[in-house]
Amino acid sequence: MLCEKCKKNEAKINLITVMNGQKQEIWLCENCAKDIANIPFFNPIMQNINVPFQGILTEILSNVDNGKSNIDNNKVKEIICPNCGLTYQEFKKSGRLGCTDCYKEFNIVLEPRIKSLQVGSKHIGKIPKVKGKELVQRKNLKDLKEEMQKLIVAEEYERAAIVRDEIKKLELYILESNTKEIINRKEGNCDE
């Protein structure tokens, strides 16, 4: 899809605004998105928010819950990342986290707001067409093994036995799939 502003570059950014119940959407390339002040429906928003572009996300995040959260604001203001030393006030001002540990330290603030902006707080990503089925099966296998361990700890042995049987079936399926793939490679077949 081409950028709706310059009509030259590939559009990679989708901006959506909802004002007075009306949804407006525009697809932009990275260059045009940098020049956000010249996007027609975004101008009124930018005039009302006196914040630099990098602070827009922070402004949106800070206004998402409108005070409806159960977060203790005094505790949040005291959060400091032990790894990079970033404070909550610095994060709020810049809209950027300092290191990977910041995600853990600022989780009390980030998680509820991310959940309100999208479905869930865990990145799921896309599954590749090639080997995608195997990845899903391996993830299911890992989940089943974790579930079985929890059942054993909870002394729910009958349910644990059922899960154990599912694990054996899944392991056999993965083994057979890998064997077929190896045979196909040796024979020069590229069906998958």
mmCIF file of all heavy atoms in Angstrom, residues 33-68:
data_model
loop_
_atom_site.group_PDB
_atom_site.id
_atom_site.type_symbol
_atom_site.label_atom_id
_atom_site.label_comp_id
_atom_site.label_asym_id
_atom_site.label_seq_id
_atom_site.Cartn_x
_atom_site.Cartn_y
_atom_site.Cartn_z
ATOM 1 N N ALA A 33 5.242 10.382 8.210
ATOM 2 C CA ALA A 33 4.813 10.283 9.604
ATOM 3 C C ALA A 33 5.665 11.183 10.495
ATOM 4 O O ALA A 33 5.179 11.697 11.501
ATOM 5 C CB ALA A 33 4.889 8.847 10.084
ATOM 6 N N LYS A 34 6.931 11.395 10.111
ATOM 7 C CA LYS A 34 7.803 12.285 10.880
ATOM 8 C C LYS A 34 7.282 13.716 10.830
ATOM 9 O O LYS A 34 7.430 14.481 11.763
ATOM 10 C CB LYS A 34 9.237 12.225 10.355
ATOM 11 C CG LYS A 34 9.942 10.938 10.708
ATOM 12 C CD LYS A 34 11.335 10.918 10.126
ATOM 13 C CE LYS A 34 11.987 9.564 10.348
ATOM 14 N NZ LYS A 34 13.277 9.457 9.671
ATOM 15 N N ASP A 35 6.680 14.071 9.711
ATOM 16 C CA ASP A 35 6.138 15.416 9.536
ATOM 17 C C ASP A 35 4.659 15.406 9.899
ATOM 18 O O ASP A 35 3.798 15.756 9.115
ATOM 19 C CB ASP A 35 6.340 15.872 8.088
ATOM 20 C CG ASP A 35 6.017 17.337 7.899
ATOM 21 O OD1 ASP A 35 5.986 18.066 8.910
ATOM 22 O OD2 ASP A 35 5.770 17.744 6.755
ATOM 23 N N ILE A 36 4.375 15.014 11.111
ATOM 24 C CA ILE A 36 2.996 14.792 11.562
ATOM 25 C C ILE A 36 2.171 16.073 11.610
ATOM 26 O O ILE A 36 0.949 16.037 11.537
ATOM 27 C CB ILE A 36 3.008 14.073 12.929
ATOM 28 C CG1 ILE A 36 1.700 13.343 13.136
ATOM 29 C CG2 ILE A 36 3.275 15.020 14.061
ATOM 30 C CD1 ILE A 36 1.787 12.280 14.185
ATOM 31 N N ALA A 37 2.813 17.220 11.703
ATOM 32 C CA ALA A 37 2.088 18.488 11.796
ATOM 33 C C ALA A 37 1.301 18.794 10.525
ATOM 34 O O ALA A 37 0.326 19.534 10.557
ATOM 35 C CB ALA A 37 3.057 19.622 12.093
ATOM 36 N N ASN A 38 1.711 18.229 9.385
ATOM 37 C CA ASN A 38 1.026 18.520 8.123
ATOM 38 C C ASN A 38 -0.022 17.487 7.740
ATOM 39 O O ASN A 38 -0.471 17.450 6.608
ATOM 40 C CB ASN A 38 2.047 18.638 6.984
ATOM 41 C CG ASN A 38 2.929 19.861 7.165
ATOM 42 O OD1 ASN A 38 2.491 20.868 7.714
ATOM 43 N ND2 ASN A 38 4.171 19.761 6.735
ATOM 44 N N ILE A 39 -0.413 16.625 8.678
ATOM 45 C CA ILE A 39 -1.464 15.648 8.396
ATOM 46 C C ILE A 39 -2.793 16.316 8.736
ATOM 47 O O ILE A 39 -3.002 16.739 9.871
ATOM 48 C CB ILE A 39 -1.272 14.359 9.228
ATOM 49 C CG1 ILE A 39 0.068 13.730 8.839
ATOM 50 C CG2 ILE A 39 -2.417 13.395 8.999
ATOM 51 C CD1 ILE A 39 0.487 12.593 9.730
ATOM 52 N N PRO A 40 -3.688 16.449 7.751
ATOM 53 C CA PRO A 40 -4.902 17.259 7.921
ATOM 54 C C PRO A 40 -5.711 16.970 9.184
ATOM 55 O O PRO A 40 -5.960 17.872 9.964
ATOM 56 C CB PRO A 40 -5.728 16.942 6.669
ATOM 57 C CG PRO A 40 -4.745 16.430 5.681
ATOM 58 C CD PRO A 40 -3.624 15.816 6.456
ATOM 59 N N PHE A 41 -6.131 15.734 9.427
ATOM 60 C CA PHE A 41 -7.002 15.497 10.568
ATOM 61 C C PHE A 41 -6.245 15.459 11.885
ATOM 62 O O PHE A 41 -6.840 15.446 12.949
ATOM 63 C CB PHE A 41 -7.870 14.234 10.393
ATOM 64 C CG PHE A 41 -7.130 12.933 10.492
ATOM 65 C CD1 PHE A 41 -6.830 12.370 11.708
ATOM 66 C CD2 PHE A 41 -6.753 12.255 9.338
ATOM 67 C CE1 PHE A 41 -6.172 11.153 11.795
ATOM 68 C CE2 PHE A 41 -6.094 11.051 9.425
ATOM 69 C CZ PHE A 41 -5.801 10.506 10.653
ATOM 70 N N PHE A 42 -4.913 15.460 11.833
ATOM 71 C CA PHE A 42 -4.129 15.414 13.053
ATOM 72 C C PHE A 42 -3.834 16.817 13.584
ATOM 73 O O PHE A 42 -3.527 16.996 14.741
ATOM 74 C CB PHE A 42 -2.827 14.642 12.802
ATOM 75 C CG PHE A 42 -2.354 13.862 13.997
ATOM 76 C CD1 PHE A 42 -3.065 12.759 14.429
ATOM 77 C CD2 PHE A 42 -1.222 14.229 14.696
ATOM 78 C CE1 PHE A 42 -2.651 12.030 15.528
ATOM 79 C CE2 PHE A 42 -0.801 13.513 15.798
ATOM 80 C CZ PHE A 42 -1.522 12.409 16.205
ATOM 81 N N ASN A 43 -3.947 17.854 12.735
ATOM 82 C CA ASN A 43 -3.665 19.232 13.144
ATOM 83 C C ASN A 43 -4.470 19.685 14.364
ATOM 84 O O ASN A 43 -3.901 20.232 15.293
ATOM 85 C CB ASN A 43 -3.888 20.200 11.982
ATOM 86 C CG ASN A 43 -2.655 20.313 11.113
ATOM 87 O OD1 ASN A 43 -1.557 20.014 11.553
ATOM 88 N ND2 ASN A 43 -2.836 20.743 9.884
ATOM 89 N N PRO A 44 -5.804 19.491 14.399
ATOM 90 C CA PRO A 44 -6.553 19.946 15.570
ATOM 91 C C PRO A 44 -6.089 19.274 16.866
ATOM 92 O O PRO A 44 -6.067 19.897 17.923
ATOM 93 C CB PRO A 44 -8.000 19.555 15.270
ATOM 94 C CG PRO A 44 -8.056 19.232 13.826
ATOM 95 C CD PRO A 44 -6.666 18.920 13.389
ATOM 96 N N ILE A 45 -5.699 18.017 16.771
ATOM 97 C CA ILE A 45 -5.236 17.296 17.955
ATOM 98 C C ILE A 45 -3.922 17.902 18.431
ATOM 99 O O ILE A 45 -3.726 18.147 19.616
ATOM 100 C CB ILE A 45 -5.061 15.791 17.646
ATOM 101 C CG1 ILE A 45 -6.412 15.183 17.289
ATOM 102 C CG2 ILE A 45 -4.429 15.063 18.818
ATOM 103 C CD1 ILE A 45 -6.316 13.801 16.711
ATOM 104 N N MET A 46 -3.010 18.132 17.492
ATOM 105 C CA MET A 46 -1.694 18.661 17.842
ATOM 106 C C MET A 46 -1.790 20.066 18.439
ATOM 107 O O MET A 46 -1.005 20.436 19.292
ATOM 108 C CB MET A 46 -0.774 18.669 16.622
ATOM 109 C CG MET A 46 -0.386 17.290 16.133
ATOM 110 S SD MET A 46 0.418 16.287 17.380
ATOM 111 C CE MET A 46 1.967 17.146 17.503
ATOM 112 N N GLN A 47 -2.769 20.851 17.991
ATOM 113 C CA GLN A 47 -2.924 22.196 18.532
ATOM 114 C C GLN A 47 -3.403 22.151 19.979
ATOM 115 O O GLN A 47 -3.053 23.001 20.781
ATOM 116 C CB GLN A 47 -3.908 22.994 17.663
ATOM 117 C CG GLN A 47 -3.317 23.328 16.312
ATOM 118 C CD GLN A 47 -4.358 23.877 15.354
ATOM 119 O OE1 GLN A 47 -5.534 23.932 15.650
ATOM 120 N NE2 GLN A 47 -3.898 24.275 14.172
ATOM 121 N N ASN A 48 -4.217 21.148 20.309
ATOM 122 C CA ASN A 48 -4.750 21.028 21.663
ATOM 123 C C ASN A 48 -3.742 20.415 22.631
ATOM 124 O O ASN A 48 -3.848 20.613 23.822
ATOM 125 C CB ASN A 48 -6.030 20.188 21.667
ATOM 126 C CG ASN A 48 -7.155 20.906 20.958
ATOM 127 O OD1 ASN A 48 -7.181 22.133 20.914
ATOM 128 N ND2 ASN A 48 -8.068 20.156 20.386
ATOM 129 N N ILE A 49 -2.802 19.645 22.118
ATOM 130 C CA ILE A 49 -1.791 19.006 22.972
ATOM 131 C C ILE A 49 -0.472 19.720 22.728
ATOM 132 O O ILE A 49 0.096 19.631 21.648
ATOM 133 C CB ILE A 49 -1.628 17.507 22.637
ATOM 134 C CG1 ILE A 49 -2.940 16.774 22.825
ATOM 135 C CG2 ILE A 49 -0.546 16.885 23.505
ATOM 136 C CD1 ILE A 49 -2.886 15.325 22.380
ATOM 137 N N ASN A 50 0.012 20.396 23.722
ATOM 138 C CA ASN A 50 1.268 21.127 23.575
ATOM 139 C C ASN A 50 2.415 20.242 24.060
ATOM 140 O O ASN A 50 3.043 20.500 25.069
ATOM 141 C CB ASN A 50 1.205 22.434 24.369
ATOM 142 C CG ASN A 50 2.369 23.343 24.050
ATOM 143 O OD1 ASN A 50 3.065 23.134 23.056
ATOM 144 N ND2 ASN A 50 2.595 24.328 24.885
ATOM 145 N N VAL A 51 2.651 19.151 23.312
ATOM 146 C CA VAL A 51 3.643 18.147 23.685
ATOM 147 C C VAL A 51 4.449 17.802 22.438
ATOM 148 O O VAL A 51 3.883 17.691 21.361
ATOM 149 C CB VAL A 51 2.934 16.867 24.210
ATOM 150 C CG1 VAL A 51 3.934 15.807 24.578
ATOM 151 C CG2 VAL A 51 2.040 17.197 25.379
ATOM 152 N N PRO A 52 5.775 17.617 22.547
ATOM 153 C CA PRO A 52 6.532 17.181 21.369
ATOM 154 C C PRO A 52 6.094 15.795 20.930
ATOM 155 O O PRO A 52 5.528 15.041 21.715
ATOM 156 C CB PRO A 52 7.989 17.169 21.850
ATOM 157 C CG PRO A 52 7.911 17.144 23.332
ATOM 158 C CD PRO A 52 6.602 17.780 23.717
ATOM 159 N N PHE A 53 6.354 15.447 19.659
ATOM 160 C CA PHE A 53 5.875 14.194 19.083
ATOM 161 C C PHE A 53 6.236 12.982 19.929
ATOM 162 O O PHE A 53 5.415 12.117 20.156
ATOM 163 C CB PHE A 53 6.411 14.020 17.663
ATOM 164 C CG PHE A 53 5.959 12.739 17.021
ATOM 165 C CD1 PHE A 53 4.640 12.553 16.680
ATOM 166 C CD2 PHE A 53 6.850 11.709 16.783
ATOM 167 C CE1 PHE A 53 4.201 11.381 16.099
ATOM 168 C CE2 PHE A 53 6.427 10.524 16.201
ATOM 169 C CZ PHE A 53 5.102 10.379 15.860
ATOM 170 N N GLN A 54 7.481 12.895 20.431
ATOM 171 C CA GLN A 54 7.874 11.719 21.212
ATOM 172 C C GLN A 54 7.102 11.624 22.515
ATOM 173 O O GLN A 54 6.997 10.555 23.099
ATOM 174 C CB GLN A 54 9.368 11.714 21.480
ATOM 175 C CG GLN A 54 9.826 12.810 22.446
ATOM 176 C CD GLN A 54 11.325 12.840 22.571
ATOM 177 O OE1 GLN A 54 12.034 12.562 21.635
ATOM 178 N NE2 GLN A 54 11.799 13.180 23.737
ATOM 179 N N GLY A 55 6.521 12.719 22.976
ATOM 180 C CA GLY A 55 5.744 12.695 24.205
ATOM 181 C C GLY A 55 4.281 12.375 23.999
ATOM 182 O O GLY A 55 3.535 12.240 24.966
ATOM 183 N N ILE A 56 3.852 12.267 22.747
ATOM 184 C CA ILE A 56 2.442 11.985 22.472
ATOM 185 C C ILE A 56 2.025 10.647 23.067
ATOM 186 O O ILE A 56 0.989 10.541 23.703
ATOM 187 C CB ILE A 56 2.145 12.041 20.963
ATOM 188 C CG1 ILE A 56 2.247 13.488 20.481
ATOM 189 C CG2 ILE A 56 0.762 11.489 20.656
ATOM 190 C CD1 ILE A 56 2.106 13.657 18.991
ATOM 191 N N LEU A 57 2.847 9.611 22.885
ATOM 192 C CA LEU A 57 2.520 8.295 23.436
ATOM 193 C C LEU A 57 2.390 8.378 24.950
ATOM 194 O O LEU A 57 1.447 7.854 25.528
ATOM 195 C CB LEU A 57 3.580 7.259 23.055
ATOM 196 C CG LEU A 57 3.380 5.876 23.668
ATOM 197 C CD1 LEU A 57 2.067 5.260 23.192
ATOM 198 C CD2 LEU A 57 4.533 4.972 23.337
ATOM 199 N N THR A 58 3.309 9.070 25.585
ATOM 200 C CA THR A 58 3.255 9.211 27.031
ATOM 201 C C THR A 58 1.986 9.950 27.446
ATOM 202 O O THR A 58 1.333 9.581 28.418
ATOM 203 C CB THR A 58 4.489 9.979 27.546
ATOM 204 O OG1 THR A 58 5.647 9.349 27.039
ATOM 205 C CG2 THR A 58 4.537 10.005 29.053
ATOM 206 N N GLU A 59 1.635 10.978 26.700
ATOM 207 C CA GLU A 59 0.419 11.739 27.000
ATOM 208 C C GLU A 59 -0.814 10.860 26.849
ATOM 209 O O GLU A 59 -1.706 10.867 27.694
ATOM 210 C CB GLU A 59 0.327 12.949 26.051
ATOM 211 C CG GLU A 59 -0.785 13.912 26.394
ATOM 212 C CD GLU A 59 -0.568 14.631 27.712
ATOM 213 O OE1 GLU A 59 0.581 14.796 28.137
ATOM 214 O OE2 GLU A 59 -1.580 15.013 28.328
ATOM 215 N N ILE A 60 -0.844 10.062 25.797
ATOM 216 C CA ILE A 60 -1.966 9.146 25.588
ATOM 217 C C ILE A 60 -2.028 8.138 26.725
ATOM 218 O O ILE A 60 -3.080 7.897 27.294
ATOM 219 C CB ILE A 60 -1.841 8.421 24.224
ATOM 220 C CG1 ILE A 60 -2.078 9.410 23.086
ATOM 221 C CG2 ILE A 60 -2.817 7.258 24.125
ATOM 222 C CD1 ILE A 60 -1.716 8.883 21.720
ATOM 223 N N LEU A 61 -0.873 7.546 27.073
ATOM 224 C CA LEU A 61 -0.838 6.562 28.144
ATOM 225 C C LEU A 61 -1.262 7.162 29.477
ATOM 226 O O LEU A 61 -1.961 6.529 30.254
ATOM 227 C CB LEU A 61 0.564 5.965 28.287
ATOM 228 C CG LEU A 61 0.990 5.000 27.201
ATOM 229 C CD1 LEU A 61 2.444 4.594 27.402
ATOM 230 C CD2 LEU A 61 0.109 3.775 27.150
ATOM 231 N N SER A 62 -0.868 8.402 29.740
ATOM 232 C CA SER A 62 -1.205 9.000 31.027
ATOM 233 C C SER A 62 -2.672 9.368 31.115
ATOM 234 O O SER A 62 -3.216 9.515 32.196
ATOM 235 C CB SER A 62 -0.334 10.222 31.296
ATOM 236 O OG SER A 62 -0.645 11.241 30.381
ATOM 237 N N ASN A 63 -3.345 9.506 29.968
ATOM 238 C CA ASN A 63 -4.764 9.861 29.985
ATOM 239 C C ASN A 63 -5.685 8.674 29.764
ATOM 240 O O ASN A 63 -6.894 8.837 29.794
ATOM 241 C CB ASN A 63 -5.049 10.914 28.909
ATOM 242 C CG ASN A 63 -4.429 12.241 29.256
ATOM 243 O OD1 ASN A 63 -4.390 12.633 30.403
ATOM 244 N ND2 ASN A 63 -3.914 12.931 28.258
ATOM 245 N N VAL A 64 -5.140 7.494 29.539
ATOM 246 C CA VAL A 64 -5.966 6.332 29.214
ATOM 247 C C VAL A 64 -6.922 5.978 30.336
ATOM 248 O O VAL A 64 -8.108 5.807 30.127
ATOM 249 C CB VAL A 64 -5.083 5.115 28.861
ATOM 250 C CG1 VAL A 64 -5.897 3.841 28.835
ATOM 251 C CG2 VAL A 64 -4.445 5.346 27.509
ATOM 252 N N ASP A 65 -6.408 5.861 31.550
ATOM 253 C CA ASP A 65 -7.267 5.378 32.626
ATOM 254 C C ASP A 65 -8.049 6.493 33.311
ATOM 255 O O ASP A 65 -8.932 6.215 34.103
ATOM 256 C CB ASP A 65 -6.455 4.582 33.646
ATOM 257 C CG ASP A 65 -5.366 5.394 34.304
ATOM 258 O OD1 ASP A 65 -5.203 6.587 33.987
ATOM 259 O OD2 ASP A 65 -4.662 4.824 35.144
ATOM 260 N N ASN A 66 -7.729 7.757 33.043
ATOM 261 C CA ASN A 66 -8.447 8.902 33.623
ATOM 262 C C ASN A 66 -8.676 8.766 35.123
ATOM 263 O O ASN A 66 -9.751 9.047 35.630
ATOM 264 C CB ASN A 66 -9.791 9.111 32.908
ATOM 265 C CG ASN A 66 -9.602 9.560 31.482
ATOM 266 O OD1 ASN A 66 -8.662 10.274 31.163
ATOM 267 N ND2 ASN A 66 -10.489 9.130 30.612
ATOM 268 N N GLY A 67 -7.675 8.268 35.820
ATOM 269 C CA GLY A 67 -7.772 8.157 37.268
ATOM 270 C C GLY A 67 -8.595 6.986 37.768
ATOM 271 O O GLY A 67 -8.903 6.902 38.931
ATOM 272 N N LYS A 68 -8.961 6.060 36.897
ATOM 273 C CA LYS A 68 -9.806 4.934 37.290
ATOM 274 C C LYS A 68 -9.003 3.728 37.756
ATOM 275 O O LYS A 68 -9.566 2.718 38.111
ATOM 276 C CB LYS A 68 -10.702 4.502 36.113
ATOM 277 C CG LYS A 68 -11.689 5.560 35.695
ATOM 278 C CD LYS A 68 -12.466 5.099 34.490
ATOM 279 C CE LYS A 68 -13.361 6.198 33.976
ATOM 280 N NZ LYS A 68 -14.032 5.830 32.728
#
